[in-house]
Amino acid sequence: MENRLHKYRKQVLIASLLFIGAALQFAHAQQKVAEWLSDSIIQRYQPTIDVLTHHGWDHSNSIVMHAMAKVYLQTNNPNYLAYVQKYADDYINADGSINGLLTTLDGMHPAVLCLFLYQQTGDKKYQKAATTMRDHLLGKNGQKSQFNKTQDGIFWHKNNAKYQDVASVDGLYMKDPFLVRYGLMFDQAELVDASVEQVLKLAQRSFNIRTNLAFHAWDATGTREWADPITGQATQHWSRASGWFAMALVDILEYLPKSHPEYNKVAHIFQRLALGLKNAQHPKSGLWYQVLDQAEQPDNYPEISGSGMIVYALTKGVQLQLLADEYALIAQKAWVSMQDYIKTYSDGGPQITSVAPGMSSKLDYAAYVAVKPIEVPRSQTKQYSHGYVGVLMAASVIEYQGLNNRAFVTAGS
């Protein structure tokens, strides 16, 4: 009887989500969110995305371009490719050298655009630029890398005193999917191994086996005010940090050969993280909150950038058959709820609300929720790209492959 009741409830949930999803599809019949947002970004920020951030060759720009590149792969809209290429060409020279290189892991993320553009255009300068980025991180011809590491070999997130001996799981997203893909594209297996080693080392130090979630950061010295003096771990599970981590893992697993000796370990980490995210999902709203494991606290709030990243990772995890079909329902429930936070801005394009601004590790729960959410775009001068990327990454998979995918065919059978 209990099994029959469980099956009935599951069927009702699937039917409800399909109905709501169909209503959303009807509402956006003329244009999907992915294309509505991509077109609006191109309209708003000319000549390139750097008008949004003024940060140059940095993740704050490239994460949006990477998400738009994924929408391009779904739509073949030449405007999206041209916009990504225009941003990259402002920094990449004909010989593959790059202007404005940064010694932060955030500054490594644009490297993925070099691989994308090389695959799409065949232009060798993008291959050379990818090699420039590889050498910038790892060093060249025996020269030492400009990026510092902890004593046990984990990259600092940034090369400055504030981040000395500090690593963060979001740093994995900024460099390791690129390194894995570069190593496989150009037959440099040592890069794949080095990347996987970074993932395993940082996961060992940042993952909470009780909650199956990642702490925001890890301090090798244990001396930061936010760090546990014994473990060095931060005190909280920040939504966007886990979003970056989840996307890093699934994007690595998309390309990492199953024959790799550490493949099962990386897959296990992703599956454990997915379980933690499943348990942290708000039972009513279906979203993930600023501090993940305290969603029921009255001063906590739904965080849309992290929620979108998690939707992307879980959806892709099902598509890669790394996760059970139920995770497609979890992602779809969140995507439906995210629509309430996608408003129409004065220019007719989307405005993403309830987005946490960028932040380093905080002392405690109160410090995280004290940082109030913003909307993107907003009337103030300073803008943040994170709200864009969460929604765009989620839309790039779920709008084109999610609702009618294998999971929705088999989940109720």
Side-chain angles (χ1 to χ4, degrees):
M1 179 66 180
E2 184 176 348
N3 288 336
R4 290 174 59 189
L5 181 60
H6 174 74
K7 184 175 181 180
Y8 172 75
R9 287 174 175 170
K10 187 175 183 180
Q11 289 173 337
V12 170
L13 173 61
I14 293 169
S16 299
L17 289 173
L18 287 172
F19 175 79
I20 297 171
L24 287 170
Q25 285 191 326
F26 178 79
H28 293 290
Q30 299 303 314
Q31 195 172 41
K32 291 180 169 64
V33 171
E35 295 161 49
W36 183 35
L37 182 52
S38 294
D39 292 344
S40 297
I41 289 170
I42 293 173
Q43 177 185 331
R44 288 168 180 165
Y45 310 112
Q46 285 290 337
T48 75
I49 190 65
D50 193 48
V51 172
L52 168 65
T53 69
H54 305 289
H55 286 175
W57 189 248
D58 176 66
H59 84 296
S60 56
N61 289 318
S62 62
I63 53 177
V64 182
M65 295 296 85
H66 180 51
M68 189 178 290
K70 290 183 176 294
V71 179
Y72 168 75
L73 293 174
Q74 300 286 1
T75 64
N76 291 316
N77 185 329
N79 294 330
Y80 302 159
L81 176 60
Y83 192 67
V84 174
Q85 189 170 10
K86 180 62 174 69
Y87 165 70
D89 285 350
D90 273 2
Y91 303 93
I92 298 174
N93 301 311
D95 62 356
S97 60
I98 299 173
N99 302 324
L101 292 175
L102 303 174
T103 54
T104 71
L105 296 189
D106 291 338
M108 281 301 302
H109 185 266
V112 298
L113 301 181
C114 301
L115 297 180
F116 166 75
L117 290 169
Y118 175 61
Q119 288 181 315
Q120 295 304 313
T121 69
D123 191 330
K124 288 285 187 180
K125 81 170 184 179
Y126 297 120
Q127 179 186 358
K128 294 175 182 177
T131 301
T132 296
M133 295 300 289
R134 177 205 66 182
D135 294 343
H136 180 57
L137 178 68
L138 302 177
K140 180 181 179 181
N141 298 329
Q143 294 179 355
K144 184 180 178 182
S145 167
Q146 298 182 57
F147 292 75
N148 291 320
K149 294 181 180 180
T150 63
Q151 190 172 6
D152 48 359
I154 301 174
F155 281 100
W156 300 3
H157 193 76
K158 297 182 181 181
N159 281 14
N160 58 45
K162 181 178 178 180
Y163 286 89
Q164 182 174 345
D165 285 310
V166 171
S168 177
V169 290
D170 48 315
L172 297 174
Y173 183 73
M174 302 305 163
K175 62 181 174 58
D176 289 295
F178 160 72
L179 285 178
V180 168
R181 289 184 63 189
Y182 185 100
L184 293 171
M185 285 175 66
F186 303 114
D187 195 26
Q188 296 182 20
E190 68 276 10
L191 297 188
V192 179
D193 294 342
S195 178
V196 170
E197 181 183 26
Q198 288 286 313
V199 171
L200 296 180
K201 281 185 174 182
L202 190 50
Q204 185 180 30
R205 290 154 179 81
S206 301
F207 201 77
N208 184 339
I209 60 174
R210 180 181 61 83
T211 61
N212 287 309
L213 297 170
F215 288 108
H216 186 172
W218 170 71
D219 173 17
T221 68
T223 58
R224 300 303 193 286
E225 64 173 359
W226 50 260
D228 184 288
I230 298 175
T231 67
Q233 295 171 336
T235 64
Q236 304 299 315
H237 301 306
W238 183 41
S239 60
R240 193 155 67 232
S242 284
W244 293 124
F245 188 33
M247 292 201 301
L249 292 170
V250 78
D251 282 358
I252 288 169
L253 288 164
E254 181 179 11
Y255 295 98
L256 186 66
K258 292 185 178 180
S259 59
H260 191 280
E262 305 292 8
Y263 176 90
N264 288 337
K265 288 184 181 179
V266 178
H268 181 69
I269 295 168
F270 176 63
Q271 289 159 351
R272 288 284 295 271
L273 177 61
L275 176 61
L277 293 169
K278 170 188 170 183
N279 293 334
Q281 185 180 38
H282 193 283
K284 292 182 179 179
S285 73
L287 296 170
W288 287 274
Y289 279 51
Q290 167 75 340
V291 178
L292 282 173
D293 59 336
Q294 300 190 53
E296 298 288 0
Q297 294 296 321
D299 53 352
N300 207 351
Y301 57 86
E303 207 289 298
I304 300 306
S305 67
S307 291
M309 293 173 183
I310 294 166
V311 167
Y312 168 84
L314 297 184
T315 303
K316 192 168 180 178
V318 173
Q319 293 169 357
L320 295 175
Q321 299 185 28
L322 291 161
L323 300 176
D325 291 341
E326 66 174 308
Y327 284 93
L329 296 174
I330 292 168
Q332 180 68 19
K333 182 178 181 180
W335 176 246
V336 168
S337 294
M338 283 173 62
Q339 308 309 304
D340 291 336
Y341 297 87
I342 304 174
K343 309 297 184 182
T344 300
Y345 193 54
S346 57
D347 64 359
Q351 181 183 52
I352 316 304
T353 63
S354 199
V355 177
M359 65 185 71
S360 56
S361 294
K362 303 294 182 184
L363 178 62
D364 53 20
Y365 169 83
Y368 275 92
V369 297
V371 180
K372 298 307 178 186
I374 61 173
E375 51 200 20
V376 183
R378 56 184 185 157
S379 58
Q380 295 95 326
T381 301
K382 189 172 184 180
Q383 302 289 332
Y384 292 91
S385 57
H386 298 91
Y388 285 147
V389 70
V391 172
L392 206 51
M393 290 295 286
S396 75
V397 289
I398 205 164
E399 286 195 307
Y400 298 94
Q401 304 173 44
L403 188 60
N404 298 313
N405 231 27
R406 174 180 64 88
F408 284 88
V409 174
T410 63
S413 61

